[in-house]
Amino acid sequence: MGYNLPKDLEEFRKVVRDFAEEKIRPIAFHLDQTKEFPKEIVKQMGEMGLMGIPFPEEYGGAGLTNQHYAIAVEELSRVDGGVGVICSAHTSLGTWGLNEFGNEEQKEKYLRPLLTGKSIGGFGLTEENAGSDSAGTETTAVLKGDHYVLNGKKIFITNAPEAQTYLVTAVTTPGKGNHGISMFIVDKDFEGFTFSEPYDKLGIRSSVTAELHFKDVKVPKENLLGEEGKGFKYAMMILDGGRIGIASQALGIAQGAYESAKEYGLAREQFGEAIARMQHNSFILADMATELKAARLLIYDAAQKKDAHVPYGKDAAMAKLYASDMAEKLTSKALQLYGGSGFIKGVDVERYYRDSKITQIYEGTNEIMRLVISGYILPRPAKKDKKKEAPKKKQSQVGDRKLEIFKGDEKEAAKKLVEALKKEGFTFDKKDVDLEGAIEEADSVVAAGMGIGEEQNLEMIKELAKETGSVLSSSRPASQVRGYVPTNRFIGLSGKKFAGKLYIGVGISGAMQHLRGIPEAGTIVVINNDESAAFFDNCDYGIVGDFHKVVPALIEEIKNA
């Protein structure tokens, strides 16, 4: 294809660029610093038709092409990569599947508000144990009468919790691998559907990202998207298109960094000349311009193939792979050209540098992209006879544990727990322990999670810590978001590790990052009202129940002991 695009596409580019320059650039630094989701910007994007670019006008879409869509994401990302991915994830992930696989009723109810920007779309595929291996989905959907009951958790979900409509994968037929996975339209307002606090991310900070939590969520039978058992196939097709969007995001970020570095290089003088004209720097800028053009051609080619309804999976993977690797490398060079100034917050190349990294990771890591591309260019290996394997047992992240879970009456459960701990040799002799003592040196720790709710509930957790002679800690979100403990005291990835005799976690779900902080703990006790919490698969003893009742009962039993 030629590099020069038709006039209508370049005119469209100008419209989006003008909008990005006038409305987004003045607040881009603020959005990055505050992690603020730009609701007003997104509303204006909807009014401009940018939230429904490649979709039919009959449902409120703009009736344009995927090339228009790629250009829009590119131009938005040229100013702010976070705003670019809001549009990309909404369009490619949260909306395209509805247009492609939805029936008329589903399109009228859910697609129309998405295309007009009245609501935002999200896509729930990734889980802690199903990242690159998406077929490892553990979220379940059980058909009961006129609805499915959804249970599980999705992580790293772009546009959550701001999105209203989510396409979510779940296992409907266990034991059939990816052929047992289906896809559902899940509304934000469904009872039992909740969200984690948004992540505090390295980059794309104007884009909000959180976890989806499903606790006995009733999804109407009519919200099954397409056919049962086809969800994994749909998800892979959705990701093919999503890669065009992420490649465009990477290109826009890189373009913005290149323009900024070139402008700075022409303005700054050293040794009597503009640094951009020094041969070494001029060659770097020449390489940048070349790589940007190469990435642009790959992206527009994949978009054009999608518009022509010809196979484009390989081309989308190539575009995403090349553009994102190029963006990470190019933004680094742009920052280097700025020198020390590029390392300062508020200078746009610093933000471009941070924003670029995620493009190599989400919607298929670049390692997976190479796997996808090699699958297209190499002949398929001969099929081997597959032996039927027994279902894999869930592996504990903290070594072999007793997994004794107590349910029912809170007082009775607390009594059983204390009896079990006494058998293990715990005497509960009350000690004067500093709640803020060193976690690494402590014999026991009590950790609070987001599940304890408001800060006043922390007093109950502190009392439990005092009665057990424990120091106080928390999960990462409870520390970073709620401030229950200082950020140098949370347990888990990038926090503290605990290897003492007794760990008690209250209101903690048991995310992978937290579990990595306690594999050497002697005995692990969990208190949570959510029976499906991952922590119950990674503990010695657990009580399923309301901590408001469990913790006082446990304190009383410990006093009696």
Side-chain angles (χ1 to χ4, degrees), residues 378-409:
L378 296 175
R380 289 178 180 268
K383 283 189 178 179
K384 295 179 182 177
D385 290 334
K386 287 186 180 178
K387 291 181 180 177
K388 214 171 186 180
E389 295 180 7
K392 287 184 180 178
K393 188 183 174 184
K394 273 190 183 178
Q395 284 195 336
S396 169
Q397 314 237 356
V398 288
D400 291 335
R401 296 288 169 174
K402 293 184 177 65
L403 302 180
E404 289 189 32
I405 312 299
F406 308 118
K407 306 174 188 176
D409 181 75

Side-chain angles (χ1 to χ4, degrees), residues 481-497:
V481 178
R482 294 275 169 83
Y484 291 156
V485 302
T487 52
N488 63 352
R489 293 191 61 78
F490 71 79
I491 286 177
L493 207 61
S494 301
K496 301 288 183 181
K497 289 195 173 182

Side-chain angles (χ1 to χ4, degrees), residues 53-119:
I53 294 171
F55 299 110
E57 292 178 90
E58 63 181 295
Y59 297 109
L64 299 175
T65 68
N66 283 287
Q67 286 180 286
H68 286 88
Y69 161 60
I71 288 170
V73 175
E74 176 189 344
E75 291 300 327
L76 295 170
S77 302
R78 173 181 163 272
V79 172
D80 185 343
V83 175
V85 81
I86 291 169
C87 179
S88 173
H90 163 86
T91 304
S92 296
L93 303 185
T95 303
W96 184 82
L98 258 169
N99 183 65
E100 193 72 12
F101 310 116
N103 57 40
E104 287 304 311
E105 290 77 14
Q106 291 169 341
K107 289 180 181 181
E108 281 296 333
K109 185 175 182 179
Y110 293 107
L111 185 62
R112 189 174 293 280
L114 288 168
L115 299 190
T116 55
K118 290 181 179 176
S119 66

Side-chain angles (χ1 to χ4, degrees), residues 160-305:
E162 294 294 336
Q164 183 68 33
T165 306
Y166 299 82
L167 302 186
V168 177
T169 55
V171 175
T172 46
T173 311
K176 290 190 71 176
N178 57 26
H179 296 292
I181 295 172
S182 301
M183 187 171 287
F184 299 89
I185 307 165
V186 184
D187 193 286
K188 182 180 183 177
D189 297 329
F190 285 173
E191 188 178 348
F193 181 16
T194 57
F195 305 86
S196 72
E197 289 291 332
Y199 299 121
D200 190 3
K201 308 191 295 290
L202 171 71
I204 59 166
R205 289 164 62 83
S206 58
S207 159
V208 68
T209 310
E211 296 171 1
L212 314 182
H213 296 170
F214 305 103
K215 171 71 173 171
D216 295 330
V217 178
K218 290 183 179 179
V219 179
K221 194 174 178 181
E222 57 266 27
N223 278 36
L224 171 70
L225 188 65
E227 299 177 42
E228 195 171 282
K230 295 282 185 72
F232 182 81
K233 178 184 177 183
Y234 298 158
M236 295 304 102
M237 293 171 70
I238 288 168
L239 286 175
D240 276 344
R243 286 161 190 158
I244 295 174
I246 299 308
S248 301
Q249 181 199 14
L251 172 61
I253 292 168
Q255 182 71 36
Y258 161 73
E259 290 174 9
S260 180
K262 185 172 74 169
E263 182 182 350
Y264 179 80
L266 288 168
R268 178 164 171 77
E269 291 190 1
Q270 291 285 277
F271 307 106
E273 69 174 325
I275 62 171
R277 300 194 186 281
M278 295 174 180
Q279 187 181 66
H280 175 73
N281 292 334
S282 69
F283 283 8
I284 288 174
L285 290 167
D287 286 343
M288 287 180 176
T290 304
E291 290 168 352
L292 284 165
K293 180 171 181 177
R296 190 167 281 112
L297 289 170
L298 280 168
I299 294 165
Y300 294 176
D301 178 56
Q304 195 177 53
K305 284 180 177 170

Side-chain angles (χ1 to χ4, degrees), residues 1-137:
M1 64 177 286
Y3 177 69
N4 294 321
L5 294 173
K7 186 179 177 182
D8 70 303
L9 284 169
E10 291 299 350
E11 288 174 348
F12 176 78
R13 180 195 300 282
K14 186 178 185 308
V15 170
V16 181
R17 179 170 291 200
D18 288 347
F19 170 75
E21 289 289 345
E22 292 170 17
K23 302 294 184 180
I24 303 172
R25 189 179 290 281
I27 61 171
F29 176 65
H30 169 78
L31 296 176
D32 177 70
Q33 292 296 286
T34 60
K35 303 178 293 177
E36 183 181 329
F37 185 81
K39 291 184 180 181
E40 186 57 33
I41 293 292
V42 174
K43 181 184 174 185
Q44 291 175 45
M45 286 163 58
E47 292 167 353
M48 292 173 64
L50 299 184
M51 304 299 274
I53 294 171
F55 299 110
E57 292 178 90
E58 63 181 295
Y59 297 109
L64 299 175
T65 68
N66 283 287
Q67 286 180 286
H68 286 88
Y69 161 60
I71 288 170
V73 175
E74 176 189 344
E75 291 300 327
L76 295 170
S77 302
R78 173 181 163 272
V79 172
D80 185 343
V83 175
V85 81
I86 291 169
C87 179
S88 173
H90 163 86
T91 304
S92 296
L93 303 185
T95 303
W96 184 82
L98 258 169
N99 183 65
E100 193 72 12
F101 310 116
N103 57 40
E104 287 304 311
E105 290 77 14
Q106 291 169 341
K107 289 180 181 181
E108 281 296 333
K109 185 175 182 179
Y110 293 107
L111 185 62
R112 189 174 293 280
L114 288 168
L115 299 190
T116 55
K118 290 181 179 176
S119 66
I120 302 171
F123 180 65
L125 175 67
T126 303
E127 301 180 7
E128 284 190 351
N129 296 316
S132 293
D133 181 12
S134 304
T137 295

